[in-house]
Amino acid sequence: MSSDDPVVHLLADLDRPVSPRIRFHDLLLAQLLTELEEATRRKPEAVTPDRSQGPDSSVVRPRRRRLGRMALAMAVVAGTAVAALFASSPWKSAPGFLEEVQAALTPPAGAVLHWKVVMTPNMAGCKVTFPASEYWQDLTPPYNYRGFEVQQQGGICGPGKLTEIGGEWASGKPAVGFFPPNTLKGTQFAWDPDIGPDPMADLRQAIADGFAHREGRTVLDDGRAVERIRQDCDLVKFPQCLDSSYWYVDPQTFKPVRHLSGPGLRPGPGATCSAPCWTTDYVTYESLDGISANRALADIRAQHPDAIER
């Protein structure tokens, strides 16, 4: 065989460091290619024409059998090549349900994340629904965020009040709040450093680490069909975590619909939440284009350029 022969190249390529399974496919493929090449180069047998012999005579059969063997060898070579290709390729199977959820909840780089939620805590025998919280998060450095956060007033059963806050998440500095008519000053509010201001970061990480589990289709108390995901505690990253929480996502878009957390949750068909428990219903979770106007929505100072910072 010449140096340009593909069989030579294939045999030479067998020295590469690969798994035993892939090496077996390569050796088998090389052997079959060699046999096929020898068969195609072999001179045809002399056949004496004999009109008395029919199409099924012994004179015709040897050539037909040889052609059949060649066709079979070609089919085996093709099948082996395909098997070797799939064994050695980095392709993966189609993504599963949790991978699709993870992809749907991963905002594109450079976007501005926008979400709006309604929280309903059930604590100490009282259940109250807070005003809707809303946030904008710039996904480019310095990762400005701005939003309307609920501050409880009047004790644990108080209705709560919205306060506008903002800051730079990457800086690690406390948030500043806007206090009418024109003051910006520091607050005690701070994000979890392992999660940040994106509420879906925790679930995405749980999926990646194997702490999220699909539990199937269910129906919420408002009649909406959803997929339920159980998120177990990662005690290494979150040692204070005591109980699993439950996420409910849309079956088609995989966007968040509801989150239940707390030791009093009842993740049955009605998704009830007994004390102590917290329900978070998602009104909006979307990615906005990273244009200047949207980035300004995540910048509390841009929204209040005349405010005095103290």
Side-chain angles (χ1 to χ4, degrees):
M1 292 183 288
S2 68
S3 60
D4 294 331
D5 196 299
V7 179
V8 174
H9 289 289
L10 179 59
L11 291 171
D13 194 44
L14 293 178
D15 291 332
R16 68 188 190 278
V18 294
S19 68
R21 183 179 62 177
I22 298 175
R23 183 174 295 280
F24 168 78
H25 285 298
D26 285 344
L27 289 170
L28 180 59
L29 178 59
Q31 179 182 353
L32 290 172
L33 284 173
T34 302
E35 293 178 359
L36 178 60
E37 183 182 66
E38 292 176 355
T40 56
R41 290 180 178 178
R42 189 178 301 132
K43 292 182 180 181
E45 298 176 6
V47 180
T48 302
D50 188 347
R51 295 177 182 176
S52 65
Q53 301 291 342
D56 292 329
S57 68
S58 59
V59 176
V60 180
R61 284 174 187 167
R63 182 179 300 173
R64 181 175 297 172
R65 283 198 297 267
R66 183 167 63 251
L67 292 174
R69 288 196 297 270
M70 290 174 60
L72 177 61
M74 292 177 67
V76 172
V77 167
T80 304
V82 171
L85 176 63
F86 276 94
S88 59
S89 70
W91 300 336
K92 296 181 179 179
S93 60
F97 169 79
L98 290 176
E99 287 75 17
E100 290 186 292
V101 171
Q102 187 180 39
L105 300 182
T106 302
V112 175
L113 187 61
H114 171 231
W115 73 93
K116 187 175 184 178
V117 298
V118 175
M119 294 180 290
T120 305
N122 190 346
M123 298 290 293
C126 63
K127 184 176 181 180
V128 58
T129 299
F130 289 154
S133 301
E134 188 170 17
Y135 276 93
W136 293 265
Q137 166 69 56
D138 192 341
L139 299 179
T140 58
Y143 304 105
N144 288 327
Y145 65 87
R146 169 180 157 267
F148 295 90
E149 180 65 36
V150 175
Q151 302 292 328
Q152 279 190 296
Q153 294 182 336
I156 196 171
C157 295
K161 178 182 178 181
L162 290 177
T163 300
E164 185 177 3
I165 63 172
E168 300 172 356
W169 178 61
S171 69
K173 297 178 181 178
V176 297
F178 175 71
F179 299 90
N182 64 341
T183 300
L184 288 172
K185 63 180 181 180
T187 70
Q188 298 299 317
F189 184 85
W191 296 104
D192 186 325
D194 295 315
I195 300 175
D198 180 356
M200 293 296 104
D202 193 17
L203 177 57
R204 292 198 304 268
Q205 191 62 49
I207 293 174
D209 294 342
F211 288 93
H213 309 278
R214 182 184 187 182
E215 293 211 328
R217 189 73 59 93
T218 188
V219 179
L220 296 180
D221 47 8
D222 59 2
R224 182 171 181 176
V226 290
E227 290 279 354
R228 184 172 63 217
I229 301 171
R230 187 185 79 250
Q231 180 182 342
D232 294 335
C233 292
D234 182 350
L235 296 178
V236 174
K237 291 183 178 179
F238 307 105
Q240 302 302 320
C241 178
L242 300 177
D243 304 280
S244 298
S245 64
Y246 287 80
W247 294 91
Y248 299 83
V249 300
D250 185 273
Q252 280 73 45
T253 66
F254 308 113
K255 295 296 181 69
V257 176
R258 176 173 292 179
H259 182 228
L260 291 183
S261 60
L265 64 85
R266 300 290 183 269
T272 59
C273 192
S274 302
C277 189
W278 298 265
T279 301
T280 303
D281 289 308
Y282 281 79
V283 179
T284 302
Y285 185 83
E286 61 181 353
S287 297
L288 308 177
D289 293 335
I291 60 176
S292 299
N294 289 336
R295 294 192 192 283
L297 293 173
D299 189 341
I300 193 170
R301 294 176 177 87
Q303 294 299 310
H304 305 284
D306 299 327
I308 300 173
E309 192 163 349
R310 298 178 179 177

